[in-house]
Amino acid sequence: MRKFPEKPKGPVVKIDFTGQEPLGKCPKCGGKIFQSPDLYLCENGQRDTKRCTFKVEKIKTGRAIDVEQLQKLLKDGKTDLLDNFISRAGKPFSAHLVLEGKGKVSFEFAERET
């Protein structure tokens, strides 16, 4: 049987967004997106109950995701074609980040030239 990591119990460690400008609107709950040291995340992820789980890592598979591309993802549902992601096999690849239903972020690969 597959085991999943347990969710942390107890209160969420609160991140102070004071003085930050929101980067966009959360595609999952409509809240505001801010940045922490490692993530772009929804302000409603800080609630004690019914937390929003939307977040995007600032470094995704070895590549830094800058604020401009995050804002494009939130506004248009898709980033520009981004280079230098690193696969599990250690090989570089290019892809768009795209928003899928329920705020999931995934890769969309460029068509290969033949």
Side-chain angles (χ1 to χ4, degrees):
M1 178 184 271
R2 186 173 177 193
K3 291 190 174 192
F4 294 95
E6 289 185 31
K7 289 185 179 180
K9 296 184 179 171
V12 173
V13 176
K14 305 287 184 183
I15 299 169
D16 185 9
F17 299 128
T18 304
Q20 283 193 41
E21 287 291 320
L23 302 174
K25 183 178 167 184
C26 177
K28 200 166 187 179
C29 75
K32 297 174 187 165
I33 300 295
F34 292 97
Q35 56 183 312
S36 73
D38 301 322
L39 301 167
Y40 299 109
L41 68 160
C42 179
E43 66 183 340
N44 293 326
Q46 303 293 297
R47 292 180 179 171
D48 291 326
T49 60
K50 295 188 179 182
R51 296 179 197 145
C52 179
T53 58
F54 181 79
K55 62 186 172 194
V56 177
E57 298 89 0
K58 284 186 169 181
I59 299 184
K60 191 158 182 74
T61 59
R63 188 200 194 284
I65 308 301
D66 62 31
V67 170
E68 179 184 331
Q69 291 301 321
L70 175 84
Q71 289 174 322
K72 189 172 276 198
L73 176 67
L74 296 172
K75 183 177 178 239
D76 303 331
K78 185 175 182 177
T79 64
D80 294 333
L81 182 64
L82 304 175
D83 296 324
N84 299 323
F85 288 108
I86 304 297
S87 72
R88 290 181 185 159
K91 297 182 180 188
F93 68 93
S94 299
H96 300 274
L97 293 178
V98 294
L99 282 175
E100 294 182 352
K102 298 189 179 186
K104 182 180 177 190
V105 177
S106 62
F107 293 109
E108 180 181 284
F109 299 97
E111 292 185 29
R112 292 182 183 225
E113 294 179 19
T114 54

